[in-house]
């Protein structure tokens, strides 16, 4: 007997829906990373804004997973203010984007 596909499996088998899911999932992960780091370090939106030079509205939108396009510069400012480095990796080759 053939096992019924789950909703997730059906979505992932459609290339358009899979691409949309992956895009939204990346936004979700970014939001979670920022929220977790802020909570762990007890950093408020205003404090992060002041430390990073990024407006409070951009930070609030990221936290709320509002659709927006942010620049690499903005992402780097936020993450570095929270103690993270932005790194690109291909195999064993790493490029630290925080220093660019």
């Amino acid at each position: 007997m053939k096992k019924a596909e789950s909703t997730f499996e059906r979505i992932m088998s459609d290339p358009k829906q899979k691409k949309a899911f992956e895009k939204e999932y990346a936004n979700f992960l970014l939001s979670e990373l920022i929220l977790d780091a802020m909570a762990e370090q007890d950093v408020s939106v205003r404090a992060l804004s002041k430390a990073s030079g990024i407006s409070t509205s951009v930070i609030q939108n990221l936290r709320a997973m509002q659709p927006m396009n942010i620049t690499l510069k903005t992402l780097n400012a936020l993450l570095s203010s929270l103690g993270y480095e932005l790194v690109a990796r291909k195999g064993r080759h790493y490029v630290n984007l925080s220093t660019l």
Side-chain angles (χ1 to χ4, degrees):
M1 188 179 335
K2 186 177 177 184
K3 180 184 167 197
E5 276 189 329
S6 69
T7 302
F8 182 77
E9 289 169 330
R10 282 193 311 274
I11 288 171
M12 295 322 248
S13 67
D14 180 327
K16 285 183 180 180
Q17 288 185 332
K18 181 178 180 179
K19 186 176 180 177
F21 171 84
E22 288 170 347
K23 181 181 176 185
E24 292 305 314
Y25 189 65
N27 290 338
F28 169 75
L29 289 177
L30 177 59
S31 178
E32 284 296 301
L33 173 65
I34 291 172
L35 284 170
D36 285 347
M38 289 175 68
E40 181 181 285
Q41 298 172 35
D42 197 27
V43 175
S44 69
V45 170
R46 287 183 190 266
L48 181 56
S49 175
K50 186 175 181 180
S52 65
I54 305 302
S55 75
T56 56
S57 61
V58 168
I59 297 167
Q60 288 285 28
N61 287 342
L62 279 172
R63 290 180 61 196
M65 294 186 298
Q66 295 296 317
M68 61 184 297
N69 292 318
I70 62 170
T71 64
L72 190 57
K73 182 179 177 180
T74 298
L75 181 58
N76 183 49
L78 290 169
L79 292 177
S80 64
S81 295
L82 293 166
Y84 286 87
E85 290 182 345
L86 194 54
V87 176
R89 179 182 70 118
K90 182 176 181 181
R92 293 184 179 190
H93 181 73
Y94 291 85
V95 176
N96 186 339
L97 301 173
S98 298
T99 60
L100 299 178

